[in-house]
Amino acid sequence: MKKLWFTRKNNQRHWVGDGFPVRSIFTYNDIAPDISPFLLLDYAGPTVFEPTTKQRGVGEHPHRGFETVSIVYSGEVEHRDSSGGGGTIRPGDVQWMTAASGMVHEEFHGRDYAAQGGHFEMIQLWVNLPKKFKMVSPRYQSILKESIPKVSIPHGAGTLRVIAGNYLGHSGPAQTYSPIDLWDIRLNAGVETDFTYTEGYTTSIFVLSGEVRLQDGELISEAELAVLEPGGDRFTLKATQDAKILFLGGEPFHEPIVGYGPFVMNTPEEIHQAFRDFQSGKMGSFQ
Ligand code: MN
């Protein structure tokens, strides 16, 4: 059994630009070494935006050394980057953007959504790249809802969408640089489910809404992350209320994490180099 290791919650919201009221559940400055390859989880919303003609969001900024993964639950996000990637991410879609050697991008609410207003809820995850891939070329994967397999969890416990990795023989569409499993799970209240998962892989459960009980009896509630011990090869979840969950798992790599702002590398010198390269335009620009 993978036992509960620790839980984490952050009720402080802050704005990313003027479009994303986020709770940073973890960052590369705190628990990232314990849940490699994941570096950061920002939970935006749930909230409601009024209709507007203004484009809310965050303007041109760089990244280097990792990937940003945006999962939209409600609302719309429009993206454009200096390597030519771009598009609108709608509910159920996922954007998997490999910044790697560096790019600049902007993230705004979608035009149609902004005009109508309404519910907004998304997660942005930062996924680390192994040292040997930190300086590969940027890549943009637009993963549409239709391409994400939706699997029934046995015994009517709910459904699971495989964004990356594998569940009961179903593989997700995301291409990753290290083994990662990312599952968008909906659990129905009252059914206990046994999940098998690779021994030694980091194993975390983020509850967006509802409440789940772990096998140890611990209750995990809204906007809370449960990190399980990597040892053991299974765990159980039982929703006490219908629950929306993001499962994050993967093979950890034990390499130094040095981050500053939008850059996450292995050494301070590489961070200084990232600033120099950004300032001299080597990560591209829209101008
Ligand atoms: Mn960004």
Side-chain angles (χ1 to χ4, degrees):
M1 273 293 183
K2 289 177 180 275
K3 294 198 180 81
L4 177 64
W5 188 4
F6 59 88
T7 63
R8 203 171 160 89
K9 213 173 162 110
N10 176 9
N11 293 320
Q12 298 285 332
R13 287 190 196 213
H14 68 272
W15 285 90
V16 174
D18 64 358
F20 307 101
V22 309
R23 283 171 277 187
S24 292
I25 305 301
F26 62 86
T27 77
Y28 52 73
N29 287 321
D30 43 60
I31 64 168
D34 297 330
I35 56 167
S36 168
F38 303 100
L39 291 171
L40 174 147
L41 192 160
D42 270 357
Y43 180 32
T47 190
V48 173
F49 283 101
E50 297 300 318
T52 175
T53 52
K54 182 179 180 298
Q55 266 209 297
R56 285 176 169 270
V58 53
E60 183 175 338
H61 60 278
H63 292 293
R64 171 180 278 181
F66 60 95
E67 306 181 285
T68 66
V69 178
S70 303
I71 304 162
V72 174
Y73 295 91
S74 49
E76 275 179 17
V77 179
E78 237 174 65
H79 163 94
R80 183 163 76 110
D81 72 53
S82 58
S83 69
T88 302
I89 321 158
R90 298 189 168 82
D93 297 344
V94 175
Q95 175 209 78
W96 200 294
M97 191 197 75
T98 307
S101 64
M103 33 64 69
V104 300
H105 75 161
E106 55 180 32
E107 299 155 278
F108 286 100
H109 291 185
R111 236 170 279 268
D112 294 345
Y113 163 72
Q116 289 163 18
H119 285 277
F120 189 89
E121 186 177 26
M122 67 170 284
I123 281 179
Q124 187 168 87
L125 264 181
W126 290 13
V127 175
N128 206 2
L129 288 169
K131 185 177 167 59
K132 64 181 172 193
F133 296 125
K134 278 187 179 286
M135 293 299 281
V136 299
S137 296
R139 177 170 76 183
Y140 184 81
Q141 298 176 71
S142 173
I143 302 171
L144 300 179
K145 184 180 178 182
E146 299 72 47
S147 70
I148 301 175
K150 187 172 178 178
V151 185
S152 293
I153 302 172
H155 312 296
T159 57
L160 186 153
R161 295 197 319 141
V162 189
I163 299 167
N166 193 280
Y167 173 73
L168 297 182
H170 300 266
S171 294
Q175 293 179 264
T176 64
Y177 282 92
S178 68
I180 288 170
D181 295 278
L182 195 61
W183 304 335
D184 171 18
I185 306 177
R186 308 303 149 107
L187 285 184
N188 299 324
V191 191
E192 185 169 79
T193 305
D194 202 14
F195 291 86
T196 57
Y197 195 61
T198 313
E199 180 153 16
Y201 276 26
T202 53
T203 307
S204 312
I205 289 131
F206 180 66
V207 177
L208 290 88
S209 62
E211 187 185 64
V212 296
R213 189 189 300 277
L214 304 178
Q215 65 267 2
D216 339 48
E218 192 86 15
L219 289 169
I220 310 300
S221 61
E222 196 179 303
E224 188 170 14
L225 179 81
V227 180
L228 310 187
E229 289 177 355
D233 64 359
R234 60 192 193 91
F235 60 94
T236 66
L237 296 179
K238 181 180 183 177
T240 56
Q241 306 161 21
D242 288 356
K244 180 158 72 175
I245 296 163
L246 185 67
F247 172 87
L248 305 89
E251 181 179 31
F253 42 91
H254 304 286
E255 295 174 349
I257 297 171
V258 180
Y260 193 91
F263 307 128
V264 185
M265 302 298 291
N266 303 114
T267 68
E269 174 44 38
E270 289 168 336
I271 295 293
H272 295 141
Q273 189 62 47
F275 274 97
R276 285 193 294 271
D277 289 349
F278 168 56
Q279 278 154 7
S280 64
K282 284 189 184 148
M283 295 186 190
S285 105
F286 295 133
Q287 269 74 51

